Amino acid sequence: MSDKHLSTQFDSELNRISSRVMELGGLVERQISQAVYSLTQFNLEAVEQVSGMEERVNAMEVEIDYEIASIIGRRQPTARDLRMLMAFSKVTANLERMGDEAHKIARMVQSIIESGAARALPSSELRVAAEMASAMLRKALDALARLDTKAALAILKEDDLIDEEFDGFVRKLITYMMEDPRKISASLDLLFLAKAIERIGDHSKNVAELIIYLVEGKDIRHQSMEAIESAVR
């Protein structure tokens, strides 16, 4: 078999992995969208849809990891190709964890609905952060598809805004619980919801960091924004 034919096959395998990762990203994006809808509308049908997607998300993570391990074992890629496969593996893991957070949101919403406390809680305060987190994932997937480091950099900066929303919501929730201690238990559910939303943003940030790693070959985790901006110039 010629080297050219081997190279063409390898490129085809890499493209397939890329397509599968994007497919998983689209599924997780829909899962998060339904989770956000279930939260903002307290909708049980949306809760069920999120739960229904969970099994498929988990299965796809296992399938993609198996394919990546198989390619590495057979092709023994070097340099940029190996970096690409490692980055895709880590992106897959972050996407699956985002799906876990979406599932967690849905389960918590179901608990709140069944407790009868839905209308009494200030859940609308979470809407902005939830929509921001969902939008961050969309932007991260778009940046990944285009290998756009400038877009990835913008996502890293945007993550601070979700953190600010989370901190502000926690302060409001503490005030709410102090005013009416009877709602402490239900309010803690909202606190866990807020944390799940924040984690979705964190995982989107991780994807953005992996885009920069994939394109530039530089690991920019835990670095200052100035150092990261220097890496993508």
Side-chain angles (χ1 to χ4, degrees):
M1 188 178 292
S2 69
D3 289 343
K4 181 178 180 181
H5 186 52
L6 285 172
S7 177
T8 300
Q9 280 189 331
F10 188 28
D11 288 343
S12 177
E13 290 172 351
L14 291 177
N15 288 335
R16 171 175 165 75
I17 290 295
S18 177
S19 296
R20 291 281 283 160
V21 171
M22 294 305 299
E23 181 185 354
L24 174 60
L27 179 60
V28 171
E29 185 179 352
R30 292 194 299 275
Q31 192 181 22
I32 290 173
S33 177
Q34 285 300 311
V36 171
Y37 182 78
S38 76
L39 170 62
T40 57
Q41 303 298 320
F42 284 106
N43 185 292
L44 274 176
E45 183 178 347
V47 167
E48 292 170 1
Q49 290 183 17
V50 173
S51 298
M53 294 182 209
E54 178 71 5
E55 185 175 340
R56 182 57 186 152
V57 168
N58 291 340
M60 284 191 71
E61 181 199 19
V62 173
E63 291 165 7
I64 292 170
D65 273 349
Y66 177 82
E67 290 184 46
I68 289 173
S70 177
I71 290 173
I72 292 174
R74 287 183 292 104
R75 303 295 188 187
Q76 297 183 338
T78 58
R80 192 177 189 278
D81 290 334
L82 180 59
R83 190 166 73 237
M84 177 183 293
L85 289 167
M86 296 303 295
F88 279 148
S89 179
K90 291 180 180 180
V91 168
T92 297
N94 276 280
L95 289 172
E96 189 276 333
R97 287 170 190 148
M98 282 189 241
D100 284 345
E101 296 300 335
H103 193 214
K104 188 184 300 180
I105 290 170
R107 291 201 317 269
M108 198 68 69
V109 168
Q110 182 176 4
S111 174
I112 292 172
I113 293 172
E114 291 173 350
S115 73
R119 296 183 182 279
L121 292 172
S123 57
S124 60
E125 298 286 351
L126 282 176
R127 184 175 304 171
V128 174
E131 290 175 351
M132 285 172 63
S134 183
M136 269 186 75
L137 173 57
R138 285 196 300 273
K139 292 173 185 176
L141 291 173
D142 183 60
L144 178 63
R146 295 183 290 109
L147 296 180
D148 187 339
T149 56
K150 295 295 176 59
L153 179 62
I155 291 166
L156 297 181
K157 294 178 179 178
E158 190 174 339
D159 182 60
D160 290 339
L161 298 177
I162 291 184
D163 292 342
E164 290 174 9
E165 287 290 333
F166 173 75
D167 292 342
F169 178 75
V170 170
R171 288 194 295 271
K172 290 178 183 177
L173 201 57
I174 290 172
T175 301
Y176 181 77
M177 288 187 288
M178 289 174 65
E179 291 174 351
D180 190 350
R182 293 171 299 176
K183 293 188 172 67
I184 288 177
S185 178
S187 297
L188 288 175
D189 286 343
L190 283 188
L191 182 60
F192 287 122
L193 280 169
K195 191 60 183 177
I197 291 168
E198 184 194 32
R199 288 192 184 117
I200 289 173
D202 288 341
H203 288 303
S204 293
K205 176 184 176 182
N206 292 345
V207 172
E209 290 176 342
L210 286 163
I211 293 167
I212 295 172
Y213 167 70
L214 173 56
V215 176
E216 303 292 346
K218 298 175 182 177
D219 188 344
I220 49 88
R221 292 175 296 175
H222 314 302
Q223 294 190 22
S224 68
M225 188 54 65
E226 287 184 2
I228 297 172
E229 287 176 333
S230 176
V232 301
R233 281 174 189 157

